[in-house]
Amino acid sequence: MENEVQEPQLELFKVEPIKAKADLTSTFANNMKLPIHRWYRYTAGFSATWVKEVIKAENGQNILDPFGGSGTVMIESEFAQVNSIGIEAHPYVYRIAKAKLNWQQNPQEFKESAKELLKIAINKNITKTDYPELINKCYPEKTVQKLEALKEAWLESEDCKEIKELTWFVITSILRVTSPVGTAQWQYIQPTKSKGKVIDVFLAFEAKVYEIVQDMTNMQRRYPNASKSQILMEDARNMPSVPNDWSDLVITSPPYANNYDYADATRLEMTFWGDINGWGDLQEKVRQFLVTACTQHVTKLKSQADEILQSHLLSPIYEEIKNIYSELSETRLTKGGKKNYHLMILAYFKDLAQVFHELRRVTRDGCKVCFVIGDSAPYGVYVPVDKWLGELAISSGFNSYSFEKLRDRNTKWKNRKHRVPLHEGRLWING
């Protein structure tokens, strides 16, 4: 049975009020019901409603998110009329957040620009057939030619920078929903799987523009005095643009030590826009800038393992991490993949130790820091992430920490590689 394609209606855009509720959870799922947050599904994100409550409860005035992701903390800070800075090292995710922070632009101007871009794209005659292998695996020729028409129309556009970034965002956000293969939002690409229902490119573009115009209009009415946040493409381990003693509240979620490759998760989008030519480019273009969280980062670290282990940054947890490192070194040899989890764990905690030292520089005395985190058990070897991060924070100059468990993980054993109970929660740190 062929994939069902919905044809575009091309009837832009009336604005209707939004009614949405979200629970206080550590996940991004409920954000998909919330204006602006719903524009892009970011699996690594957390609850916007919870962020709102933390800002209110802690009375934060200068809020920092060193792992800014898709901009949840910055957007909620704008609604709360407080100052905020987000740091994001992944160039593609940074651009997503930056585009979302343009929600205060003129919605009528954006709507007219998007309508004009769509009309130009519809009238283009795209004959190009030479696309990267990944694009050919993910789209039939007719679909990719429509996407190419949007891309060409965007490249030709002379809109102002902010409006042009919003239309870039629209095209980017529909790349997965218009593909007939396995391309769930923010997940790895699975060309061998297929979807039963696929949205036409021009219809998807139109629907996303409608959603954005609706949210911009409603939220500008609701928050006429919203503040303006900053999102900076820097590294959480070194944030030169953030002044000393600036932040009184840090809300963030670092990458988990669970071998998820955040670089590979954006390969489809970066290939489409020509940022990379293939998987091999990800190391130079993305991974080298990110905190170590997967084994793809550590292939060249074997000769540096002893140096990392002996680093003063890891001294508070030296004996414990040394034992885990040794156990993982031996366990990996019994596994088919022989993944370098032992090196990943060393590099991950050294990187996070650097983050805490930098956070101590940019935070005020008496500040509150909250990390949404999860523990880890590579090859079934348990790593007490919350305990180790807390101790690294203390070593960096913070005063105390506590852990608030939110939920258990890895409780559904079917198809799991190990049965070690895991949890997720919030690490609260006092400055």
Side-chain angles (χ1 to χ4, degrees):
M1 180 177 179
E2 294 185 353
N3 295 308
E4 179 185 349
V5 178
Q6 297 181 19
E7 292 301 325
Q9 301 301 310
L10 302 179
E11 295 178 356
L12 299 167
F13 299 93
K14 65 180 180 179
V15 175
E16 298 174 349
I18 300 170
K19 296 180 180 179
K21 294 182 179 180
D23 297 326
L24 295 178
T25 71
S26 63
T27 68
F28 192 83
N30 282 322
N31 291 10
M32 297 310 294
K33 303 174 185 177
L34 299 177
I36 304 180
H37 298 292
R38 66 177 178 161
W39 293 358
Y40 193 86
R41 187 180 188 93
Y42 186 66
T43 301
F46 43 51
S47 165
T49 306
W50 170 72
V51 171
K52 177 181 179 179
E53 293 300 318
V54 172
I55 292 173
K56 182 179 179 181
E58 301 298 334
N59 193 30
Q61 298 301 306
N62 289 342
I63 301 172
L64 175 66
D65 184 350
F67 298 96
S70 63
T72 300
V73 171
M74 284 76 78
I75 291 167
E76 286 301 321
S77 296
E78 291 184 335
F79 295 162
Q81 299 179 46
V82 297
N83 303 316
S84 70
I85 297 175
I87 303 295
E88 180 52 56
H90 193 310
Y92 169 79
V93 180
Y94 159 80
R95 197 169 177 184
I96 289 291
K98 192 172 180 64
K100 288 171 66 179
L101 290 174
N102 285 329
W103 69 272
Q104 297 184 56
Q105 293 297 309
N106 187 318
Q108 184 67 24
E109 181 183 351
F110 166 62
K111 179 179 76 172
E112 293 303 320
S113 296
K115 287 174 67 175
E116 182 63 24
L117 189 150
L118 180 56
K119 289 177 183 177
I120 292 171
I122 289 172
N123 290 320
K124 280 188 173 291
N125 180 27
I126 303 295
T127 58
K128 179 181 176 181
T129 57
D130 182 23
Y131 298 101
E133 181 183 1
L134 179 63
I135 301 300
N136 288 329
K137 286 182 177 181
C138 291
Y139 303 98
E141 183 176 343
K142 187 176 180 181
T143 298
V144 75
Q145 286 177 344
K146 287 184 177 182
L147 289 169
E148 185 72 16
L150 287 173
K151 179 180 177 180
E152 286 191 8
W154 182 84
L155 290 169
E156 296 164 4
S157 168
E158 296 182 356
D159 293 327
C160 73
K161 180 176 63 175
E162 292 79 10
I163 296 297
K164 192 162 183 176
E165 281 301 288
L166 276 171
T167 49
W168 170 88
F169 173 84
V170 174
I171 298 169
T172 301
S173 69
I174 67 172
L175 290 176
R176 302 213 173 205
V177 298
T178 57
S179 172
V181 306
T183 53
Q185 195 69 43
W186 191 247
Q187 301 297 317
Y188 298 137
I189 304 151
Q190 297 176 306
T192 57
K193 294 188 177 182
S194 62
K195 304 170 189 170
K197 188 175 183 179
V198 183
I199 305 175
D200 174 86
V201 169
F202 295 147
L203 175 61
F205 181 91
E206 181 185 62
K208 179 57 71 171
V209 172
Y210 168 80
E211 177 183 270
I212 292 174
V213 169
Q214 181 185 20
D215 287 358
M216 290 172 73
T217 302
N218 283 318
M219 300 312 279
Q220 286 178 26
R221 289 172 182 165
R222 185 174 179 183
Y223 298 104
N225 300 313
S227 59
K228 189 63 181 172
S229 297
Q230 296 183 67
I231 178 73
L232 305 171
M233 193 166 67
E234 294 183 357
D235 189 330
R237 294 165 291 188
N238 181 29
M239 302 179 280
S241 298
V242 183
N244 292 346
D245 306 316
W246 180 82
S247 177
D248 55 10
L249 179 61
V250 176
I251 308 172
T252 197
S253 181
Y256 291 6
N258 61 5
N259 207 34
Y260 187 84
D261 189 351
Y262 288 87
D264 196 17
T266 61
R267 183 157 49 108
L268 175 63
E269 292 81 3
M270 297 184 76
T271 302
F272 172 78
W273 285 107
D275 299 319
I276 60 172
N277 294 317
W279 189 86
D281 293 338
L282 291 173
Q283 183 64 35
E284 178 185 352
K285 295 295 181 69
V286 182
R287 285 197 199 98
Q288 66 165 319
F289 306 116
L290 306 183
V291 162
T292 305
C294 74
T295 54
Q296 296 295 341
H297 286 82
V298 299
T299 52
K300 297 181 180 180
L301 290 184
K302 186 175 181 179
S303 62
Q304 303 174 37
D306 287 341
E307 179 183 349
I308 295 172
L309 188 58
Q310 298 295 331
S311 168
H312 72 280
L313 293 167
L314 294 180
S315 60
I317 59 171
Y318 172 75
E319 290 297 336
E320 291 177 87
I321 199 170
K322 177 184 175 183
N323 292 336
I324 295 297
Y325 170 78
S326 298
E327 186 175 356
L328 282 171
S329 298
E330 297 173 2
T331 303
R332 65 182 288 272
L333 300 178
T334 68
K335 306 293 182 179
K338 293 182 172 59
K339 293 183 179 179
N340 292 314
Y341 288 132
H342 60 312
L343 299 176
M344 182 191 79
I345 291 300
L346 282 188
Y348 177 81
F349 284 97
K350 181 185 177 184
D351 285 352
L352 268 294
Q354 290 178 301
V355 171
F356 281 121
H357 277 273
E358 184 68 346
L359 283 177
R360 184 64 282 192
R361 177 186 70 81
V362 302
T363 53
R364 301 174 183 175
D365 289 342
C367 70
K368 181 68 71 70
V369 177
C370 183
F371 271 44
V372 178
I373 59 172
D375 51 7
S376 178
Y379 283 148
V381 178
Y382 183 70
V383 178
V385 173
D386 44 287
K387 178 177 181 290
W388 287 2
L389 290 184
E391 292 178 4
L392 292 176
I394 297 297
S395 176
S396 301
F398 291 96
N399 293 328
S400 62
Y401 74 90
S402 61
F403 181 71
E404 173 195 5
K405 189 176 88 166
L406 296 174
R407 68 183 182 98
D408 292 316
R409 300 163 52 229
N410 206 40
T411 55
K412 298 178 181 179
W413 306 119
K414 187 177 181 181
N415 296 325
R416 294 288 183 180
K417 294 181 179 179
H418 66 77
R419 297 194 175 188
V420 177
L422 299 174
H423 58 244
E424 184 177 56
R426 299 164 186 152
L427 181 69
W428 295 94
I429 300 165
N430 297 305

